[in-house]
Amino acid sequence: MKRTIRYSLLLIWMVAIACGVSAQSVSFDFRPNYVLPTHAVLRTGENKKLDNEFYAFHLKYAFQFRPDSYLGALYPNTRQGIGVAYNAFFNNSVGNPVAVYAFQSARIARISRQLSLNYEWNFGASFGWNPYDELLNPDNEIIGSKINAYINLGIMLDWQLSKSWTFTGGVGFSHFSNGNTHYPNAGLNSVEARVGVVRKFASSGSAQNDCCVATAQWGEQPHFSYDIVVYGATRKQLILKERYIIPGSFGIVGMNISPMYNFNKYLRAGVSLDAQYDESANLKNHIAGYDEEGKLRFYRPPLKEQLTFGLSVRGELVMPVFSINFGMGYNLYSHGDDFKGLYQILALKTHLTRNFYLHTGYQLSKFRTPKNLMLGVGYRIHGRRSKRE
């Protein structure tokens, strides 16, 4: 995960240099958060051990593309960049993690000459958690790793005070988890209020290149495209009935083949054939007993219980450098309880070229159960463009 995030942040800077920027900005956000009581240690009662409040302080650098560049012409009201946040929990059981992330903000609607409705997403990693330890840190039953993914989505009103200064205010939602790479992984979810100030600086930038122009021509016209994603990850496995964490990590590999229709520069949608092999799947059905040290032993499940094929409906929000993919699917071929029911996918695609991108995804089961990370690469094949009327 750290390597994928690092490459994504580096790519932001490289694209800014290659295609040119017309404006840069530095902003500061203050975000008081309320942690949703999704676990017993967060709920009022005798089992409550953790507070439901924390405060986040965000410092961000962003840039906009030149109006005469391909991205600037297609997305004139979009900013993207890099942010860092300090999350103050004031609780030694949790820690005060620092998040480093890529972000993007764009206008949804213009309300008046000075006021607009915008959205912003943050996607990155957080460092410095105090993870659960049965002896040293038993109160933190929700976070089991020092490093966790960080995802945030916010809706804001931007009030332009002057040419250089903008005041922002809104609400947001945050999620921290490790994708089952460690246990416990109940995850931490919060809702936030947010206020901030943005200072803009003009920049002359540089001229766009031919690659950018070619991509713009494709981005404006409806057409089919075909995405092929290959990913992998590791995960821990928990036997709920026994409350037993199986020692070691288990490998996951998967592939998505997704024909998508590109409606316009912002939206593409389609279906995806999803295949995944999970080395830890259905182990609970193959318990061999306990060894001399009291550890559970398992028989290796047959391949058919660790392999699944599903079909999902996909939608994708397309923006400069990044696109966000949402999916909801059902496993058509599976054996055992671990693959039954609906699954959900959220993925960030970071475009390195017109056809090649990094894929950073997360999969859930039945809208509530974390399954695994999806870290890989993708390749997009563009079909014939629709003729304009």
Side-chain angles (χ1 to χ4, degrees):
M1 179 190 295
K2 290 190 292 183
R3 182 175 297 178
T4 302
I5 296 298
R6 189 185 306 125
Y7 287 161
S8 298
L9 298 179
L10 178 62
L11 176 65
I12 297 172
W13 181 253
M14 292 173 62
V15 171
I17 295 174
C19 293
V21 297
S22 64
Q24 302 179 66
S25 63
V26 176
S27 59
F28 173 79
D29 293 347
F30 171 61
R31 307 183 189 180
N33 281 254
Y34 172 75
V35 180
L36 299 176
T38 54
H39 193 280
V41 298
L42 295 166
R43 302 188 191 114
T44 302
E46 61 179 11
N47 293 320
K48 183 176 174 63
K49 300 175 183 178
L50 302 178
D51 295 330
N52 292 88
E53 300 85 22
F54 73 93
Y55 300 93
F57 305 86
H58 291 248
L59 183 64
K60 298 179 291 183
Y61 161 79
F63 62 87
Q64 291 178 259
F65 292 101
R66 289 171 52 90
D68 58 347
S69 70
Y70 83 106
L71 291 175
L74 288 175
Y75 307 97
N77 301 302
T78 301
R79 299 184 303 127
Q80 48 276 311
I82 301 169
V84 60
Y86 177 76
N87 299 281
F89 283 86
F90 304 108
N91 187 315
N92 290 332
S93 296
V94 179
N96 298 304
V98 174
V100 180
Y101 57 89
F103 78 92
Q104 196 164 58
S105 176
R107 179 187 296 173
I108 300 174
R110 184 170 183 173
I111 300 173
S112 68
R113 185 175 181 179
Q114 293 179 301
L115 192 65
S116 64
L117 180 66
N118 289 34
Y119 78 86
E120 180 182 304
W121 59 258
N122 306 160
F123 198 104
S126 53
F127 308 84
W129 296 86
N130 289 337
Y132 171 82
D133 185 279
E134 186 176 1
L135 298 177
L136 301 178
N137 192 19
D139 290 346
N140 183 6
E141 298 180 20
I142 56 176
I143 298 294
S145 57
K146 293 182 178 181
I147 301 174
N148 290 270
Y150 165 65
I151 301 172
N152 175 275
L153 178 64
I155 301 293
M156 310 91 65
L157 287 173
D158 281 19
W159 180 23
Q160 188 171 343
L161 303 175
S162 67
K163 186 176 181 180
S164 301
W165 291 94
T166 301
F167 175 81
T168 67
V171 295
F173 171 82
S174 294
H175 173 72
F176 299 92
S177 69
N178 61 49
N180 279 350
T181 56
H182 295 79
Y183 272 115
N185 184 43
L188 189 148
N189 303 293
S190 67
V191 291
E192 64 184 20
R194 50 189 296 169
V195 293
V197 61
V198 182
R199 175 67 165 92
K200 295 181 180 179
F201 304 91
S203 176
S204 59
S206 59
Q208 76 273 21
N209 56 43
D210 294 337
C211 174
C212 295
V213 175
T215 307
Q217 294 170 352
W218 279 91
E220 291 181 283
Q221 300 183 39
H223 66 283
F224 276 100
S225 60
Y226 307 88
D227 283 25
I228 301 172
V229 173
V230 178
Y231 64 86
T234 60
R235 64 163 297 175
K236 291 283 189 177
Q237 182 62 279
L238 172 69
I239 306 298
L240 289 174
K241 185 177 180 180
E242 305 284 343
R243 297 296 299 171
Y244 180 79
I245 300 175
I246 302 175
S249 297
F250 298 88
I252 291 173
V253 292
M255 173 180 284
N256 305 147
I257 301 176
S258 311
M260 306 281 282
Y261 185 73
N262 296 251
F263 292 92
N264 51 45
K265 62 184 180 181
Y266 295 112
L267 178 65
R268 63 172 65 103
V271 297
S272 178
L273 176 62
D274 308 320
Q276 181 170 290
Y277 170 79
D278 183 348
E279 188 183 15
S280 69
N282 294 304
L283 280 174
K284 62 180 179 291
N285 300 328
H286 299 272
I287 297 176
Y290 292 87
D291 61 16
E292 296 178 354
E293 298 179 355
K295 297 181 180 180
L296 279 175
R297 307 291 293 179
F298 301 87
Y299 298 110
R300 179 177 292 276
L303 178 62
K304 67 179 182 180
E305 293 189 20
Q306 298 183 306
L307 186 65
T308 182
F309 293 92
L311 189 67
S312 60
V313 179
R314 299 293 185 102
E316 191 163 310
L317 176 65
V318 183
M319 298 300 287
V321 185
F322 304 102
S323 59
I324 302 175
N325 185 279
F326 305 90
M328 182 181 298
Y330 183 82
N331 288 313
L332 302 176
Y333 171 87
S334 65
H335 291 81
D337 295 334
D338 284 1
F339 291 126
K340 283 186 176 179
L342 296 171
Y343 60 91
Q344 298 75 46
I345 291 172
L346 172 64
L348 176 69
K349 298 178 179 180
T350 306
H351 302 281
L352 304 179
T353 69
R354 177 168 168 266
N355 301 96
F356 185 74
Y357 55 87
L358 299 178
H359 180 278
T360 308
Y362 192 61
Q363 186 171 166
L364 296 172
S365 175
K366 303 173 184 176
F367 295 98
R368 66 180 183 274
T369 306
K371 295 293 287 186
N372 56 267
L373 296 173
M374 305 167 67
L375 307 178
V377 295
Y379 188 82
R380 177 171 298 118
I381 303 170
H382 289 276
R384 296 180 61 183
R385 291 167 288 179
S386 301
K387 294 182 179 180
R388 295 193 176 191
E389 296 181 1

